[in-house]
Amino acid sequence: MAFLNMEQHTWAFTFGILGNIISLLVFLSPIPTFYRVYRKKSTEGFQSTPYVVTLFSCMLWMYYAFLKSGAELLLTINGVGVGIETLYIAMYLVYAPKSARLLTAKLFLGLDVGLFGLIALVTMLVSKGTLRVQVVGWICVAVALGVFAAPLSIIRLVIRTKSVEFMPFSLSFFLVLSAVIWFAYGALKKDVFVALPNVLGFVFGVAQMALYMAYRNKNPATTDTVLHQEMKLPENVKELAGTKGGAPSEGRVSCAAEVHPIDVLSTAVDEQGEATDEEVIRDDHNMLRTEQVIKPDMATVVQV
């Protein structure tokens, strides 16, 4: 019996180390985004919400790991996550425009300072011992389930646009792998609060991978269809490829001055008499495709 317990502890430690490595890679995935922000001295419309939410999640799991004995591996990875996400948010606040900076500051103060502080204060005053661990654990599970349900908007967007440009296969794969490893860690440690949310993470991750395989060879919806639907995108809107002129305005799609409907072009030809048919056809070919307008942000929330 002692041998089985030792072997179980060894396997739990192994899965915990693997989970730390994979989660660290996911935490570091937004580095290219912030390198571009630093190089261009502009956030270019990138959203700060994923980083604020990730910081909140890491702080909750750190608090849980402090309360629960034998959760050192949870403490290490989420401690690193808190440091990384804090740096991301600080850089965002430096280069974001005033409106985005104010919104980010409000989110940070309301969620990472206000709500987390309230949770810590209430659980310390109202509960103690095992009950406190359970209360904090269920709060972590609730937050994790909410975060794992967030990709539903991405799945809906992929189905509507028939484009997997919004959902990179590699990111979905590593999130599934992370969910499997942390589920195994939680099961071996008999920690339901770690194992339970990763079941949902695995299901959504597999669903994203299946959608990728189903739509990877499909013709994406036209740009006009995507823009006229006025969908609220959960990801970043990047700078248009090949756009002439300056950088786009903060937080806006920089296609308003570059893309014109065909009937507008035809009217211009009739009125001015200067554009040839060849030029109109070339303008038609130069209209932006869906993948030129929207690119996904690599920021994601890691649940452990």
Side-chain angles (χ1 to χ4, degrees):
M1 191 66 177
F3 174 76
L4 292 177
N5 289 336
M6 183 179 298
E7 185 177 5
Q8 186 179 16
H9 177 75
T10 301
W11 278 108
F13 180 79
T14 302
F15 278 109
I17 293 296
L18 291 174
N20 272 248
I21 294 173
I22 293 176
S23 296
L24 178 61
L25 293 176
V26 178
F27 279 137
L28 295 176
S29 62
I31 284 182
T33 297
F34 281 93
Y35 175 73
R36 196 174 80 175
V37 168
Y38 170 77
R39 184 165 49 87
K40 295 191 174 183
K41 303 296 187 290
S42 171
T43 56
E44 299 184 305
F46 286 108
Q47 299 177 5
S48 62
T49 306
Y51 313 107
V52 176
V53 174
T54 303
L55 178 59
F56 177 68
S57 176
C58 289
M59 292 169 68
L60 279 178
W61 283 110
M62 274 191 70
Y63 181 39
Y64 173 77
F66 271 121
L67 298 176
K68 185 176 178 63
S69 61
E72 291 81 8
L73 292 177
L74 286 178
L75 186 60
T76 55
I77 186 57
N78 284 287
V80 172
V82 166
I84 293 174
E85 299 303 322
T86 301
L87 289 176
Y88 290 157
I89 295 172
M91 183 174 291
Y92 187 92
L93 290 173
V94 171
Y95 295 111
K98 184 177 180 180
S99 58
R101 191 183 304 126
L102 289 175
L103 177 60
T104 301
K106 290 178 181 179
L107 286 174
F108 175 79
L109 293 175
L111 192 64
D112 298 331
V113 178
L115 184 56
F116 176 78
L118 181 63
I119 291 173
L121 181 62
V122 170
T123 52
M124 286 181 180
L125 294 177
V126 177
S127 59
K128 61 173 122 178
T130 304
L131 178 60
R132 183 185 298 167
V133 174
Q134 292 179 348
V135 171
V136 176
W138 283 116
I139 293 174
C140 290
V141 169
V143 172
L145 292 179
V147 171
F148 275 134
L152 286 175
S153 60
I154 300 296
I155 292 174
R156 180 170 174 265
L157 188 60
V158 170
I159 294 174
R160 292 182 65 181
T161 62
K162 295 181 174 57
S163 171
V164 295
E165 188 72 16
F166 312 98
M167 189 175 62
F169 181 83
S170 59
L171 184 60
S172 300
F173 173 77
F174 278 107
L175 290 177
V176 168
L177 186 60
S178 176
V180 170
I181 289 176
W182 283 113
F183 170 79
Y185 172 84
L188 290 170
K189 297 285 287 186
K190 298 179 181 178
D191 191 334
V192 66
F193 303 118
V194 174
L196 180 60
N198 283 288
V199 174
L200 186 62
F202 173 79
V203 171
F204 281 131
V206 170
Q208 290 181 49
M209 293 170 66
L211 274 178
Y212 184 93
M213 300 302 294
Y215 287 103
R216 61 176 180 171
N217 295 323
K218 297 283 186 180
N219 292 326
T222 62
T223 304
D224 287 341
T225 301
V226 176
L227 293 178
H228 289 169
Q229 286 175 342
E230 295 183 353
M231 292 178 294
K232 184 178 181 181
L233 300 178
E235 306 291 351
N236 301 327
V237 182
K238 286 194 172 183
E239 182 182 0
L240 298 180
T243 302
K244 295 182 180 181
S249 303
E250 293 290 343
R252 299 183 58 185
V253 182
S254 56
C255 59
E258 305 297 331
V259 181
H260 307 280
I262 300 299
D263 56 345
V264 175
L265 290 174
S266 300
T267 303
V269 172
D270 294 336
E271 292 179 353
Q272 298 178 8
E274 296 178 357
T276 63
D277 292 339
E278 180 180 358
E279 290 173 335
V280 174
I281 294 174
R282 185 168 61 251
D283 284 341
D284 184 24
H285 288 321
N286 287 336
M287 290 186 69
L288 297 171
R289 298 187 300 273
T290 303
E291 62 267 26
Q292 289 178 303
V293 177
I294 304 162
K295 292 285 186 178
D297 181 11
M298 290 296 101
T300 188
V301 177
V302 180
Q303 294 299 332
V304 295

